[in-house]
Amino acid sequence: MALGPVNVPGNETAELEDIRRLAETANETANSAKGTSTEAKSTADAALKAANGAASTAGDAKDVANEAKELAQSGKGTAEKALETANAAKETADGMSGKVDEALQTSKNAQDSASSALEAVKKLTSTINAVPSQSGVLVYTGGVLTPTWNNYDPAQLDMTGATSGTDAKEYTVTFTPKSELQWADGTKTGKQVTWKITKATISPPTQSGSLTYTGSPQSPVWSGYDSGKMTIGGVTSGTNAGSYDATATPTANYQWSGGTSEARTVTWTIGKAAGSLTLNPTSLALNVSSLTKTITVNRAGDGAITVQSGSAAIAEAKLSGTTITVTGKSKGSTAITVKVAAGTNHTAPTNKTCSVEVTMPTSTLKDNSWETIGQVSAAGQGANYWSVGDTKAISINGTVAGYSFSSFSVDAFIIGFNHNSTKEGNNKIHWLIGKVGGKLVGLCDNNYSSEVTSSNGFHMNTSQSNSGGWSGSAMRKTVLGNSGTPTSPPSGSLLAALPSDLRKVMKSVTKYTDNTGGGSNTASYVTSTTDYLFLLAEYEVFGERHYANSAEQNSQAQYAYFKSGNSRVAYKHSSVSTAVWWWLRSPDYNNRSNFCSVRADGTYDGIFASWSAAVLAGFVT
C-alpha cells in the first residue's frame, strides 16, 4: 500500500491510548450487558466497532513502520537516523500490535459475552415453559360453564376451540404462542389441551308413602325422582302385595355418589290389605233332627283356613273349601274356632267363633225336653229312642169350657210313631192325654154324665145332634181349641191350657172323619180336617167298625197302643178309682143324635152329643 506520512511516536502512543480506552470501554460495556440485554447488545456492538477501528489503525501503523524500515534500509535520508527511527517505530508498532491484538481479543470476548447474555435474556423472555391446564373442577349445572386455567396468559397465548360448554364431558382447546414466543421445546405450533365438566351427583329415588293392596294395578310415588336427571324402568306397576324391583338410571349429565352411572335397583312395595273374616251362622243348634249343619266362611283373599272344635266329643268340625261341616256327637255346648292365615294380599284377620249347642235325646222319655222330643220326631227317629206307652208329664193350667185346672199334672203318653203316615204325614209322634199313676184317665168337668146345653161343658155339641160331624162340632172348635193355633190358641180351650213348651213343638195332623153326620153311612161324608188337638176315632181305638161311618176305616188305622192290647178303660182325672166313659170323634152312622164313645168297661157305644163325658185328647209332635 502507499506509504503515507509517518506519525511520530508521540502521536502513535496517543492514538494507541485511545484504542486502549476504547477497548476498556468495550469491556465495561460487555460487563454491563449482563444487566440489561438491550444495553449490552448496543454496547457490545459499539465495542466491536471500536475494536475493529483500532485494529485497522494498528494495521496501518504497522504498515507505516514497515515502510519506514524499508526506507531506512534503502539508505534514503539519514540511514542511521532513519534506522533508529524505524526501529523505534517498529518497536512502537510491534507494541501497539500486541496491544491491539489484546484489545481485539478483549473486544471479541466482550462481544461473545454480550451475545451470550443477550441470547440468555432473549431466551428467557420469549419461552413459554408450561402448557396451560384446567384449574379446579367444573360440575354440570345445566348452564354454560367456562374453565379457569393454570399457566394461561392471553398476552402470550392464543386459545381456540371449545372454550366453554354445557354437557358433562371432555372438551378440547388449542393454545398457540404469539409470534415472538415459543414453547420450552422450541416449537411454536399449537398444543391441544382437554378440560372437563364433571357429571352432577344424584341419589337414587325412594318410595314415598305406602301402597296397600286394592285389587287394581298401582304404581309408587317416588321421592327424589326428577325425570330430567334419571329414568325409571324395571317393574313400575303391580297389583299383588309384595316387593317389586324398579331400576333408576342417571341421564347423560348425572351420576351416582361414587361416580358410577349404571342402573340401580330401587325396591318398592305394596302392603297387604287388612284381612276380614265372617262366619254364617255364628251359632248352631244341633239335635237329632239335624245333627249336621254347615258354617260358611267368608274371608278376604286366599289365606289358609283352619278350624278347631273346642270339644270334638261334643261337636266335630271338618273343613272343605270355605264350608265347615259340624256334626253333633253328644249333648253339650262348645265352640268352633276359625282362623285365617295371612294370604297373598291380606293380613291375618281376628279369629272368629261359632257357638254350638248340641241337644241329644236320652232313652228315658221324661228326661227329654219337649224341644228335644220335637227334634227327634222331626228326624223320624222317635222309635229309635222311645217306645209306645212311654210317658212325659205335662201341667194343665187354666179354664177349659168352664172347668178350671190349676196346674194339674197328667202324663201324656205315646200311642204311635208315624201313625197312618200315608194319610197323616211322616216324622210324627202321636200322643194321648193322659195317664195318672199309670192309669188311663179322661178329663172330666163337673157336669160329667149329664146333659149340658150351654157353651160350657165337655160335650160334643150343645144339642143332641151330630150334624156337621167332627169338623163342625163344638168339641173340636171350642173345647179343644182347633179354631186357633198353638201359638194363638182360643181363650177357654184345652189348647190354651197346655204348657207353652209343648205347644211350641205341636204339629198339625190330618184326620179323616165323617164330617157331615146326620145318621148316614155315606162314604163321601168322610173328609179330612187339620187338627192340633183331636179325639180318637172308633176304628183308631178298636181296630174295627161298630157305629162309625163304614168309610172312615178306609182312611184310618188302629193306634199301636191299643192294637197291642192295652186297656181302653179310662178313669176320672180327679178320681182315678172311678171309671168313666169317654168321647170318640166318629159320629154314629145310624143315630143322628149320637157320637161314638168308649164305655166305662172299655167297650164301644154311642152317647147323645149334648152330654158331658171324659175327654182324652190326642196331639202330635
Side-chain angles (χ1 to χ4, degrees), residues 131-134 149 160 162 171-175 191-195:
V131 179
S133 62
Q134 183 177 359
W149 296 101
T160 58
Y171 297 86
T172 302
V173 296
T174 301
F175 290 100
K191 291 186 181 291
Q192 289 187 334
V193 178
T194 60
W195 62 280

Side-chain angles (χ1 to χ4, degrees), residues 53-137:
S56 177
T57 302
D60 290 345
K62 185 177 183 181
D63 288 343
V64 171
N66 286 333
E67 286 180 1
K69 184 179 181 182
E70 288 176 358
L71 287 176
Q73 289 176 349
S74 66
K76 294 180 178 182
T78 302
E80 290 179 358
K81 184 71 172 177
L83 179 60
E84 183 180 6
T85 301
N87 287 334
K90 183 177 184 302
E91 288 176 1
T92 300
D94 288 340
M96 286 295 293
S97 177
K99 290 180 179 180
V100 169
D101 288 342
E102 183 179 352
L104 183 62
Q105 185 61 45
T106 299
S107 177
K108 186 178 184 301
N109 291 340
Q111 184 181 23
D112 290 344
S113 295
S115 297
S116 295
L118 179 61
E119 184 66 25
V121 171
K122 182 179 180 181
K123 187 175 182 180
L124 181 65
T125 59
S126 66
T127 298
I128 302 172
N129 292 313
V131 179
S133 62
Q134 183 177 359
S135 176
V137 177

Side-chain angles (χ1 to χ4, degrees), residues 279-301:
L279 304 180
N280 185 27
T282 56
S283 64
L284 288 178
L286 302 179
N287 51 65
V288 70
S289 65
S290 183
L291 280 177
T292 298
K293 290 185 179 180
T294 60
I295 304 170
T296 300
V297 179
N298 296 300
R299 76 184 185 309

Side-chain angles (χ1 to χ4, degrees), residues 226-514:
D226 185 335
S227 61
K229 297 179 180 180
M230 67 189 77
T231 59
I232 294 291
V235 182
T236 59
S237 177
T239 300
N240 289 331
S243 294
Y244 296 88
D245 289 336
T247 57
T249 306
T251 53
N253 293 306
Y254 296 90
Q255 63 184 355
W256 305 124
S257 176
T260 62
S261 299
E262 76 279 359
R264 286 193 179 181
T265 298
V266 182
T267 300
W268 61 280
T269 61
I270 296 176
K272 294 182 178 182
S276 63
L277 170 62
T278 59
L279 304 180
N280 185 27
T282 56
S283 64
L284 288 178
L286 302 179
N287 51 65
V288 70
S289 65
S290 183
L291 280 177
T292 298
K293 290 185 179 180
T294 60
I295 304 170
T296 300
V297 179
N298 296 300
R299 76 184 185 309
D302 56 3
I305 303 170
T306 56
V307 177
Q308 185 175 11
S309 172
S311 174
I314 295 174
E316 181 182 72
K318 292 183 178 181
L319 176 68
S320 178
T322 57
T323 300
I324 304 169
T325 300
V326 183
T327 302
K329 295 296 182 180
S330 63
K331 184 178 181 179
S333 299
T334 189
I336 307 300
T337 300
V338 181
K339 299 179 181 180
V340 174
T344 302
N345 296 306
H346 295 84
T347 59
T350 303
N351 299 342
K352 294 296 178 67
T353 60
C354 177
S355 60
V356 179
E357 183 72 28
V358 181
T359 303
M360 298 292 285
T362 66
S363 58
T364 301
L365 179 61
K366 64 182 179 181
D367 293 338
N368 295 276
S369 67
W370 281 111
E371 181 182 13
T372 299
I373 292 170
Q375 293 164 357
V376 173
S377 178
Q381 297 294 314
N384 295 332
Y385 291 94
W386 310 302
S387 300
V388 170
D390 286 353
T391 62
K392 179 173 177 59
I394 62 173
S395 178
I396 302 175
N397 189 45
T399 300
V400 179
Y403 181 83
S404 294
F405 292 92
S406 180
S407 300
F408 173 69
S409 179
V410 60
D411 288 341
F413 63 96
I414 297 173
I415 57 175
F417 296 103
N418 293 322
H419 172 78
N420 196 23
S421 60
T422 57
K423 295 286 188 180
E424 300 182 21
N426 285 313
N427 299 338
K428 288 182 171 66
I429 299 175
H430 290 242
W431 303 77
L432 196 63
I433 303 172
K435 285 187 177 182
V436 174
K439 284 186 175 183
L440 186 66
V441 299
L443 303 178
C444 299
D445 64 10
N446 294 327
N447 299 307
Y448 173 74
S449 195
S450 62
E451 185 174 18
V452 182
T453 57
S454 69
S455 58
N456 293 328
F458 293 177
H459 49 209
M460 294 298 292
N461 284 313
T462 57
S463 62
Q464 294 185 19
S465 172
N466 60 20
S467 177
W470 164 246
S471 177
S473 67
M475 174 62 72
R476 176 178 177 270
K477 293 179 177 180
T478 304
V479 180
L480 298 184
N482 284 297
S483 59
T485 64
T487 57
S488 183
S491 177
S493 66
L494 179 59
L495 185 60
L498 295 178
S500 60
D501 57 343
L502 168 58
R503 287 189 281 113
K504 285 181 180 179
V505 298
M506 287 175 62
K507 299 174 183 177
S508 63
V509 62
T510 300
K511 286 294 185 179
Y512 286 85
T513 318
D514 183 338

